Amino acid sequence: LLFAPGLLLLLLQKNQSLLGTIRHLSICASLQLLLGWPFLTTYPISYIKKAFEFDRVFFFKWTVNWKFLPEEIFTSKPWALLLLTCHLGVLGMLANKWWRSAISQLGDANARKLMRWTKCDNDDIRLSPEYVIHTMFVSNYVGIVFARTLHYQFYCWYFYSLPMLLWLTSFGSSSSSTCKLVIPLSANVIAVVGVEYAFNVFPATELSSAVLQLSHAYLI
């Protein structure tokens, strides 16, 4: 689910139309319906409720990322709403950044073609593998940063993406100046080590959670 915003952006860019994007998204939805059909036909309400369960209260003792907060704040609904707002807000900022970039590169008229119902021309847009994976990784990472809780097993959600995200965010894919790489590279290594440290402290402490969130904030 955390990859969904990035996937939506890529589909809009690749299809250059809303109908094409909806057609591809319907494939994803059909697969989910097919896999969930045995449960939807027997216990539909319970299945849908448990599949999302936005009102779920997590156990404070297992959290890795918010251990430095008082437990009453961690379990409160206002805190959950604040994290959701921050998550959507950052995604909105990234979407606005992408839209401005599209306008600067394509022009306002061509950029607006991406939001039309049907494709206006036969030009095929090629999205580089680097751009695709970076977009997906960023989408997932933003969700991780503002997650209501992270447990130890959740590290597998994003540990593999950190090196690439840190590299592209700090240098871009074509930076070659040694002098300009030393300090950012050192900071990147410290951030990765900080995340690794936090997920290897059991049980989580206020210090390990703070180190984790500082490492997350560095990339954001």
Side-chain angles (χ1 to χ4, degrees):
L1 187 60
L2 298 181
F3 286 105
L7 177 62
L8 176 62
L9 171 60
L10 294 172
L11 288 176
L12 285 171
Q13 291 175 307
K14 181 63 178 177
N15 291 306
Q16 304 179 60
S17 69
L18 293 176
L19 283 179
T21 300
I22 293 173
R23 183 173 64 252
H24 281 91
L25 290 177
S26 66
I27 297 175
C28 301
S30 299
L31 181 60
Q32 291 296 319
L33 287 174
L34 179 64
L35 294 175
W37 188 252
F39 310 101
L40 289 170
T41 54
T42 51
Y43 304 100
I45 297 178
S46 299
Y47 176 73
I48 294 174
K49 183 178 179 181
K50 287 297 181 180
F52 297 97
E53 201 173 8
F54 292 113
D55 59 346
R56 179 182 178 185
V57 178
F58 296 95
F59 290 109
F60 180 69
K61 67 177 181 178
W62 295 122
T63 185
V64 178
N65 56 335
W66 299 116
K67 201 69 173 183
F68 54 83
L69 291 176
E71 184 172 359
E72 57 270 20
I73 293 179
F74 173 81
T75 56
S76 66
K77 287 187 177 181
W79 175 248
L81 290 174
L82 176 62
L83 290 175
L84 178 60
T85 301
C86 291
H87 184 187
L88 296 178
V90 172
L91 289 177
M93 291 172 58
L94 292 174
N96 181 64
K97 182 179 180 180
W98 163 75
W99 183 251
R100 291 180 179 276
S101 177
I103 291 177
S104 65
Q105 294 179 26
L106 304 175
D108 185 67
N110 288 329
R112 292 186 182 280
K113 291 180 181 179
L114 300 174
M115 302 302 293
R116 292 185 179 179
W117 281 106
T118 56
K119 193 173 181 179
C120 300
D121 50 54
N122 295 321
D123 293 336
D124 187 29
I125 294 181
R126 281 188 176 274
L127 303 178
S128 68
E130 180 185 86
Y131 175 75
V132 171
I133 199 169
H134 183 245
T135 301
M136 296 294 282
F137 281 174
V138 168
S139 177
N140 180 62
Y141 182 77
V142 171
I144 291 289
V145 171
F146 296 108
R148 289 173 60 189
T149 188
L150 291 178
H151 297 167
Y152 290 94
Q153 65 270 29
F154 295 171
Y155 193 28
C156 67
W157 287 2
Y158 74 113
F159 78 93
Y160 53 83
S161 66
L162 292 178
M164 182 177 182
L165 286 175
L166 287 166
W167 181 264
L168 292 179
T169 302
S170 299
F171 317 121
S173 59
S174 59
S175 180
S176 58
S177 173
T178 303
C179 294
K180 293 181 179 180
L181 290 179
V182 175
I183 295 179
L185 180 59
S186 300
N188 288 352
V189 171
I190 293 173
V192 172
V193 171
V195 174
E196 186 71 19
Y197 160 78
F199 277 96
N200 279 276
V201 173
F202 181 83
T205 64
E206 294 181 5
L207 175 61
S208 65
S209 289
V211 170
L212 177 63
Q213 294 298 55
L214 287 173
S215 299
H216 283 169
Y218 169 75
L219 179 54
I220 285 290

